Amino acid sequence: MVGIYPEFILLVVDTVYSWARMFVALFISMILALGIGIWTARSAVAGKIIIPVVDVLQTLPILAFFPFAIYIFVFYLPGYIGINSAVVFLIVTSMLWNMIFGVNEAVRTIPNEVIEMSRVYGMSLYKRLRMIFIPASLSKLSEQMSLSWAIGLFYLVTSEIFSTGNAKYEVRHGIGVALTQLGASRNFPAYLLGIGVFVLFVVVTRLLFFNKFDEYVNKYSTNVYPRHRHKLGLFDSLHMINFPKVEAGMSRLKGYMHSHRKLIFLALGILILALSIFLLLRLTINSQNMVSKVFYTIPGYEAESLFSLLLSFVRIWGAFLLILAISIPISVYVVFISKKKNTFLLLFQIAASIPATILLPILFIASGGNAEALAFMIFFLSGIWYVIFSILSRSKYLQSSIEDLQKIFQIRGINAWRYIYLKAIGPGLITGSITAIAAEWNASIIAEYFSSNGLSTSVKVGIGRLLDLSLSSGNIVLMLIALINMVIMIILLNTFLWKRLYSKVTAVYS
Amino acid sequence: MGIIDVKEVSFSFANGEGPKILDSVSFDADEYEFVSLVGPSGCGKSTLLRIIAGLIHPTSGSVSYMGSTISQPIRDISFVFQDFALLPWLTNVDNVSVGLSHTKMNEKEKEKVSIEMLKKLDLGGFEYAYPNVLSGGMKQRVGLARALISNPKVLLMDEPFSSLDELTARALRSEVIRILKDKAQSVSSVIMVSHNVEEAVELSDKIVIFSNKPTHVKAIKQISLGDNRNRHSKEFMKIVDETYSLLVG
């Protein structure tokens, strides 16, 4: 016990470092969300261009861009500042999108009379922002911030863990770093204590910051426009990602994709192409020889990326199939059969508040050092909660009469599965699957390759491994090609598989 | 003794610990009788209907069907929901088939019978559509088809017309009367919750009038208007007035 106290203090200090990154990222996200959200709501043109792009961005596994972000940030801001900026930047990219949608929606639903009033009294832009747009957005912003925080935690921990073991890119202090080092040195009492500290910080932040902030902004805004409010519970929405966000995005995209499909693909294509040319030129500008060398190696890089992508795809979808096999019966049991839904929800939320990547040292031992088994376990744990919570959160919208219906018409056994359970969970299952698979891709940079203080794992071939190795060897061309391949695959899958499936399943709900 | 016997039923939420919703309610429904339960909104009529259906248990008292106490839903008693309770992900024909879940029929037979039932209720052509393309009145007809398809003896209806506009509700009420008079169908007793006195007088043989907080039976009024009731006739208006007086008195 004597040794635990200094450990405890150190763990708290490390968590404070991590939380500092989180709050800086949250603050930046708030400012950006207010700016972009209000702008896109008030300007039809901005809304038409930016909102579809944000929709695409939110389904991409941006964490896979982390090696690339580190490279860019450390290139311009060397050392400690650079790597921390990269981490904060990554967290912002995980927090921002749903917050933009929240603000956008809040501003769009401001009664027209209020806007007209501001015109009648000749209010300046500054006054309109301060007196109308920002106050009206705060309630929705608060709701979305709470969700963003949960997503951000996963990004924070994973990017911290990723940075350990590489002196050039290490963040040094952070709970993710501390836990990985403790796990690697097999100091398990301190490791478990660290997980306890992490969960404690999650709970305290929710109670002392998010709940208070939510109370404050709602006291403030309900007087302006009364609206139906969902009170945030202790663990409410913890790690639940914003399924409503994904759903809303899906329905919006259905429309956009029909009318602007070509335009979106064209814009994305041009963006990726421009970025690639810029980087290639940048890299080759100093060496004439490099030009021919780079272009000579591109087909080889492309082949390597595609092969890596294929193997990662098999792992990720394999883990996803197991996720389905387990999460569907569990969710059906909790939603339709169990009488203790709230107890299960609380248990799940506590379990899900621990990012899967933080469990790396334990999983390392559990897998017996088998890299494939370890990757599979991390993928599984990264994705499963998204499916379960998505189904549970969607079940709120099921008619309360379903239970009566089942009893009256005695719909049991196979009939219950056929007529009710499997169909009722459909929309939640699809949105959960999209977020789960994105989370799995996100985790790939840790799951497929990791090396620090005697804790090392590496699959033979995989996109996460390729991204990690291309960073450490400084091969930015290979990294970029791998990223572009992955992004294209995910966009194609979202468009041709998930969106179609979602449209088909939800068509009957309108 | 009626087909359905409600005997001194009391009910409180929170396992009997909460405030009393129903206080010693008794009435019965005889064979070939249409009984309406009328009372102020929020007085517990729907709770009572759910007790009769066996969906919830009374805190004290009992409900029996042909002499046996009802403790859970039984095949002879079917239910029409206020909000239709159609499953949006099933086609109309599958929604109706749900009413045959407890039978041993194979899928083909179920489908055939369900299509016939939909046709009987003027929903031919909509068999394989989903509920979202139907109007409110059509949705309730699917709900009615599902309730009738299992040939129940007793039909419980929880404000079946309250989600519909007046014109649609009127058409559907005539339809219900037509169906219930059809000798080929099995229903012999109907118990309907309503907050609309005119509707209750138009359809019922007997109206049970409730008072509020806690709900108890204030009066039971027999309606002897015979078939083909005219809403504008003097007798009809008189009974409506009498029922209103009992309700507010």
Side-chain angles (χ1 to χ4, degrees), chain A residues 120-374:
Chain A
V120 168
Y121 293 108
M123 287 167 108
S124 65
L125 177 65
Y126 169 72
K127 270 200 169 159
R128 270 189 278 165
L129 282 174
R130 197 173 63 87
M131 297 172 81
I132 300 173
F133 297 140
I134 294 176
S137 309
L138 285 181
S139 173
K140 270 267 178 234
L141 187 69
S142 160
E143 200 178 292
Q144 293 302 320
M145 266 162 56
S146 160
L147 296 161
S148 289
W149 184 268
I151 319 167
L153 281 178
F154 181 83
Y155 277 62
L156 165 90
V157 169
T158 309
S159 52
E160 281 183 2
I161 296 173
F162 178 84
S163 82
T164 57
N166 188 330
K168 195 174 160 195
Y169 302 126
E170 193 172 81
V171 296
R172 270 184 269 168
H173 293 287
I175 187 69
V177 183
L179 284 175
T180 317
Q181 285 168 351
L182 288 172
S185 59
R186 309 217 160 201
N187 184 353
F188 287 108
Y191 173 78
L192 291 177
L193 184 71
I195 291 189
V197 169
F198 183 86
V199 174
L200 187 75
F201 263 69
V202 169
V203 174
V204 169
T205 311
R206 191 146 296 274
L207 286 177
L208 297 186
F209 179 74
F210 286 103
N211 285 9
K212 295 281 171 215
F213 186 78
D214 200 57
E215 259 171 44
Y216 170 73
V217 298
N218 284 305
K219 198 159 57 182
Y220 178 53
S221 66
T222 42
N223 295 332
V224 186
Y225 316 120
R227 72 183 83 197
H228 173 69
R229 280 282 315 155
H230 165 62
K231 184 120 183 66
L232 293 170
L234 173 60
F235 277 99
D236 224 16
S237 71
L238 201 69
H239 227 261
M240 279 167 74
I241 306 300
N242 13 8
F243 302 106
K245 164 196 100 175
V246 178
E247 273 172 38
M250 282 294 190
S251 347
R252 266 196 305 275
L253 260 183
K254 256 193 273 171
Y256 284 126
M257 279 301 189
H258 284 306
S259 49
H260 305 290
R261 178 181 295 217
K262 279 183 187 151
L263 203 67
I264 290 169
F265 276 106
L266 193 69
L268 263 174
I270 291 171
L271 192 76
I272 291 169
L273 197 70
L275 198 65
S276 320
I277 292 172
F278 168 75
L279 280 154
L280 284 174
L281 285 177
R282 222 197 123 73
L283 285 161
T284 52
I285 205 133
N286 298 328
S287 153
Q288 292 301 321
N289 283 341
M290 279 289 282
V291 180
S292 57
K293 203 174 161 194
V294 163
F295 284 103
Y296 177 72
T297 48
I298 283 179
Y301 286 170
E302 178 60 24
E304 192 179 355
S305 296
L306 282 177
F307 187 50
S308 302
L309 199 60
L310 180 71
L311 287 201
S312 295
F313 182 90
V314 171
R315 274 181 211 112
I316 282 170
W317 277 72
F320 175 64
L321 290 181
L322 186 66
I323 287 174
L324 290 184
I326 293 176
S327 60
I328 291 176
I330 288 182
S331 310
V332 164
Y333 176 75
V334 174
V335 172
F336 296 103
I337 300 164
S338 164
K339 302 274 176 236
K340 293 178 180 162
K341 189 171 171 179
N342 289 334
T343 314
F344 277 109
L345 208 55
L346 188 67
L347 283 176
F348 289 166
Q349 284 171 342
I350 292 172
S353 75
I354 304 168
T357 41
I358 226 171
L359 301 173
L360 187 77
I362 293 182
L363 299 176
F364 186 76
I365 294 169
S367 66
N370 182 317
E372 285 294 343
L374 178 63

Side-chain angles (χ1 to χ4, degrees), chain A residues 398-405 407-412 415 418-421 423-424 507-510, chain B residues 50 53 55 73-75 78-79 81 83 85-90 97-99 101-102 107 130 132 146:
Chain A
L398 292 174
Q399 304 142 286
S400 54
S401 44
I402 285 187
E403 204 183 326
D404 286 350
L405 195 70
K407 287 184 190 157
I408 294 274
F409 296 109
Q410 302 178 24
I411 314 170
R412 298 186 194 121
N415 275 337
R418 200 182 131 209
Y419 287 128
I420 298 177
Y421 303 158
K423 304 227 163 140
V508 295
Y509 284 88
S510 57
Chain B
R50 280 174 166 70
L55 287 169
I74 55 171
R75 287 179 194 187
S78 199
F79 204 101
F81 295 85
D83 66 350
L86 300 182
L87 299 172
W89 48 80
L90 296 183
S97 303
V98 159
S101 297
H102 58 271
E107 296 308 316
Y130 287 90
N132 65 339
R146 178 182 61 194

Side-chain angles (χ1 to χ4, degrees), chain B residues 17-29:
Chain B
E17 303 291 316
K20 218 170 202 180
I21 308 290
L22 299 170
D23 185 20
S24 200
V25 171
S26 299
F27 70 92
D28 60 14

Side-chain angles (χ1 to χ4, degrees), chain B residues 19 26 31 37 55 78 89 94 100 104 107 125 128 137 141 160 191 199 218 221 239 241-242:
Chain B
S26 299
E31 200 167 13
L37 314 181
L55 287 169
S78 199
W89 48 80
D94 278 344
L100 296 167
K104 291 221 156 57
E107 296 308 316
Y128 296 99
R141 272 190 263 167
I191 302 177
E199 173 182 290
K218 214 170 179 186
K221 187 166 179 57
I239 293 174
D241 285 344
E242 286 168 5

Side-chain angles (χ1 to χ4, degrees), chain B residues 115-133:
Chain B
I115 290 173
E116 275 167 24
M117 185 52 97
L118 280 170
K119 281 191 181 140
K120 237 188 207 176
L121 281 153
D122 284 339
L123 284 166
F126 289 94
E127 294 89 341
Y128 296 99
Y130 287 90
N132 65 339
V133 301

Side-chain angles (χ1 to χ4, degrees), chain B residues 12-20 59:
Chain B
S12 310
F13 281 112
N15 289 326
E17 303 291 316
K20 218 170 202 180
T59 312

